[in-house]
Every structure is written in structure tokens, then in C-alpha cells.
Amino acid sequence: VRDKLAELDKPSGVAGEAMLRAETPQEQFNLIGASRRRINHNGDMRVWQRGTTASNPSTTFAHVYGADRNLIQVQDMGTVTTTIDTDVPPTGGFNSSTKIACTATGTATTGSNLMFIHRIEGQDSQCTNFGTNNPEHLTLSFWIKSNKVGSFNVNFENEDTSIITGASSADQGYQTKQHIHSADTWEYKTVTIEGDPYSPFAFNTKKGLCFDIVLSSGGSTYSGTAPKAYWHNLANAERSTHNENYFAASTSNYYKITGVQLELGKVATPFEHRSYGEELALCQRYYYRLEVDDYDFIAPVQLHGSNQYRVVIDVPVALRVSPAITWSGLGTWYAAGSLQAGFSAIGTGYIDAAREEITRVPMAMTPTSTVLAAYQTGMLSGDSTGALQYLAFDSEL
């Protein structure tokens, strides 16, 4: 039938050709948009709960989040600054991109690398059907722009090392070579790989499927071994074999990325846009930030023991696991309208560290000065000492 249709003078169009190339009813079902297609979160870079700019700290290795769920891994790359950018591709309906810029040069070491990483939970990786006789193909599509032309790696990984056949600590991986052809020009990339019939994903909240856009490397640790175009026990030396540009060589160097979509099948379909509220909720499972203004009340707080306040926060979306907590500009309202600013420590002091699907976060808080009497209550609030007042819960993969 395909051969006969191909002989017709009337063209089938791009959509028709994609339908003809589909090998199963499920692929055709996906192509007509009858089901959810995008597996990854925040591929259009709209959600930035942590703020719209971030730089790697002064360490040799750092994980930095700019846009939610999209991790920037930096090692020995000078200073890398990640910001939201309004420069977007000419098509696709995008409003923002992630810009990764070199803002201070560095010197290459054996472990230098720069990667854009997205991780997916094991329970959300089940749709791939990996570890069976019928694993799904995967297709990753994205837009990328840079001042430098040259090759770079796009890698796929199974980070569930607990059940990988023949592996104790390494990931299963699949490496591909991509290329930027024109400087300062948005280019659309698609990468399709076969599925892995040998290594499944555990149905849990831990790391499962992952993809890396490896933008740069500078030493032997992450480059040197020819990659294998099939699933295998991944070595670090394969992760960025194709990188041609050392990112930290010039403060003129940058990358911009948006429209990132991972889906099942062999065909890259148009980017699946979701409402902002839905995309935000998906991201809040991994990071939730509660921001307040001066004197805004957050929740009741009570003194337990000699110098420990306790408070419970209800979160809008179940957190993946017990979170790490960060904060700024918080204080305690007490008595007849008095405010005591400052906490030296805030932690999940009486929550089981192994708990998952957290809908309420009990916190143990150490104030800089105890102003409540035993079992007396006050109100956790924003203080007036700075412009940034927040309480954040981090349950990232």
C-alpha cells in the first residue's frame, strides 16, 4: 500500500508522509495527537522558580538549575551563567529559552565538561517498555543556537544502576553525534534511537531515564573513547567524544536551548505545549518555592524544647521525597505585633527521611533568638530585612 501511494501524483504532505512511515497503530495514534506525547517537563523553559539567573559556585564541580527540571552540570568551565532569554526560534510558539553563557574564562582540566541534563523518575520511565522484547524507540527534538559551529554529543542514559544487567555503579548509555552548522542561528535537531531490551527501569521515585546535551568538554575524563551506537555499559570517556569547542575559552561563547521534547516512537512531532499552571505543577513536585512579602504570614509556629520551633507547611503538589530546605528573610510574629527576624537552621527534623510523596512538610526551626515561651504559638512570616523572602523545598532527582 505504501508503494502504491508513493506512486500517486497527488502529494501526501509532511503529515501524510509521517503517517505512512509509522510502523504501528500506536505510532499513528501518537502522531494525530490523541495522547500525551512529551515525557519531559518544562521543555519550553517557561518555569523558573529559583529565579531567572544562576551561576556555578566557585567549585570545580557544580549542578545548577536555571529553568526548572533542566540541570546544568559544570566542571572546570570557568564561570557559567544561566539566564532566561527572550530570543526564541522563528516557529513553534515559544516565549523563552535557556541561555548558557561563559562569563569568566577557565583552563581545561582532565574533567572539564558542560552538560544540559534532564532526569525522569523510574515510575515515569515505564512507558519506554525497556527490558522487554518490545522496547520503544525514543525521539528527542530541540532547538539550539550558539556562536560556535561544530559537533556535540546527545546522550541517553538509564541511571537506575540497581537493576542494570552486569553493572554495579555505571549507567547504561547510548551516544549520538549532533552538529551546529551556522553560528548565531536557531537550528532544529532531532535524535531517534532504538530502545533497550535488556535493562528495565524500577517502578520507583528514583532516577530512571535521562538525556544529556553535552555542550563542551576539555579533558580525557569525558572524552577519548569512540562512542557505541547501541545501549551498553557507559564509560565517562564516551560522554563527550564529539565535542569540538571548549566553552570556557572565551566570554563570547554561549548556547541557547528551548523546545526540548522527548517522546516515544521514531518521528519527532511538533512541540506539545501545556498550560503554564500544569507545567508549574509538574515542576513543583521536584522544587516548590513559597515567596512572601514583608510581614506576610506563612503558618503558625510553636516552641518545643528550649530553642526549637515547629511548623507544618502544606505543599500544593506531592513532593517526590523528603526535601532539602532553603530560606531567606523569614521571621516570627509574636506577642502584640512584635517581629523577631532570623533562623540559624531549618530542617525536616521529625520527618522520616525515607518518606516519599510528601504532601505536608513538618519543620524543626532554630531561631536566632527565642522569643516564644514553651508551647506558645506565633506566626512564621516574611521579615522586613531584605527584598527576597522565601521558603523552598528541593526534592530534585
Side-chain angles (χ1 to χ4, degrees):
V1 174
R2 290 189 181 92
D3 292 340
K4 293 297 184 182
L5 288 173
E7 294 173 2
L8 296 176
D9 292 334
K10 185 177 180 180
S12 60
V14 175
E17 291 173 4
M19 291 293 286
L20 290 173
R21 288 198 303 272
E23 297 181 356
T24 66
Q26 180 63 50
E27 286 188 6
Q28 292 180 327
F29 188 74
N30 293 338
L31 284 170
I32 62 175
S35 67
R36 298 298 293 270
R37 293 174 285 110
R38 178 158 57 89
I39 301 172
N40 60 301
H41 303 147
N42 203 28
D44 53 0
M45 312 297 157
R46 284 192 296 166
V47 181
W48 294 68
Q49 290 188 89
R50 295 170 176 85
T52 55
T53 184
S55 297
N56 59 300
S58 55
T59 59
T60 57
F61 180 83
H63 280 165
V64 177
Y65 282 95
D68 279 47
R69 304 290 356 269
N70 298 305
L71 178 68
I72 309 301
Q73 177 175 300
V74 185
Q75 182 168 356
D76 296 330
M77 278 287 170
T79 300
V80 176
T81 301
T82 303
T83 56
I84 190 172
D85 202 285
T86 56
D87 182 19
V88 294
T91 61
F94 302 107
N95 294 307
S96 58
S97 62
T98 287
K99 181 179 180 180
I100 305 166
C102 176
T103 51
T105 59
T107 302
T109 69
T110 56
S112 295
N113 71 87
L114 175 64
M115 302 184 190
F116 176 101
I117 300 173
H118 193 99
R119 293 179 173 134
I120 299 164
E121 289 182 51
Q123 60 188 359
D124 292 333
S125 304
Q126 301 298 312
C127 60
T128 63
N129 218 30
F130 279 22
T132 73
N133 290 332
N134 299 292
E136 296 280 355
H137 282 73
L138 296 176
T139 294
L140 177 69
S141 56
F142 59 95
W143 287 89
I144 190 168
K145 179 178 180 179
S146 177
N147 65 306
K148 303 289 286 185
V149 299
S151 300
F152 63 99
N153 276 54
V154 173
N155 303 330
F156 300 82
E157 297 180 28
N158 181 340
E159 294 196 341
D160 184 2
T161 59
S162 64
I163 56 175
I164 293 175
T165 303
S168 57
S169 60
D171 303 335
Q172 291 287 89
Y174 194 116
Q175 289 71 51
T176 73
K177 180 179 181 179
Q178 305 301 312
H179 198 87
I180 294 176
H181 299 278
S182 301
D184 304 312
T185 304
W186 281 106
E187 296 183 4
Y188 182 63
K189 306 299 177 184
T190 63
V191 188
T192 298
I193 65 167
E194 61 188 10
D196 183 359
Y198 300 108
S199 299
F201 298 101
F203 189 89
N204 58 27
T205 63
K206 299 178 182 179
K207 297 175 186 177
L209 179 62
C210 167
F211 60 85
D212 313 331
I213 302 176
V214 186
L215 300 171
S216 181
S217 65
S220 59
T221 299
Y222 289 95
S223 60
T225 302
K228 307 176 181 70
Y230 55 86
W231 288 94
H232 64 283
N233 198 321
L234 178 68
N236 273 336
E238 299 175 73
R239 277 186 161 91
S240 55
T241 304
H242 297 303
N243 289 125
E244 293 182 355
N245 296 311
Y246 180 59
F247 184 74
S250 170
T251 54
S252 297
N253 291 340
Y254 74 88
Y255 289 95
K256 296 180 183 180
I257 297 173
T258 195
V260 181
Q261 177 160 286
L262 180 68
E263 57 191 311
L264 303 180
K266 301 178 182 179
V267 179
T269 64
F271 184 84
E272 180 185 31
H273 289 277
R274 299 169 182 150
S275 70
Y276 180 82
E278 183 179 0
E279 205 72 61
L280 174 62
L282 290 169
C283 294
Q284 286 177 331
R285 173 172 175 77
Y286 305 92
Y287 182 88
Y288 171 59
R289 181 169 172 136
L290 194 164
E291 295 188 355
V292 296
D293 293 323
D294 294 355
Y295 312 124
D296 277 355
F297 287 168
I298 299 173
V301 60
Q302 186 179 58
L303 175 65
H304 284 251
S306 62
N307 190 37
Q308 185 184 89
Y309 292 175
R310 292 189 178 182
V311 64
V312 177
I313 301 295
D314 292 298
V315 292
V317 176
L319 299 171
R320 183 182 65 89
V321 293
S322 181
I325 299 174
T326 56
W327 72 96
S328 176
L330 300 184
T332 306
W333 274 101
Y334 68 100
S338 300
L339 176 68
Q340 173 61 49
F343 293 91
S344 59
I346 301 179
T348 54
Y350 55 109
I351 184 174
D352 187 343
R355 276 186 57 196
E356 301 175 336
E357 308 299 336
I358 310 297
T359 57
R360 307 192 79 204
V361 183
M363 300 190 302
M365 311 175 67
T366 304
T368 54
S369 177
T370 305
V371 295
L372 299 178
Y375 304 109
Q376 184 182 15
T377 59
M379 290 296 296
L380 177 65
S381 70
D383 62 30
S384 59
T385 60
L388 184 63
Q389 295 126 334
Y390 71 89
L391 179 64
F393 305 100
D394 191 335
S395 296
E396 270 292 352
L397 285 163

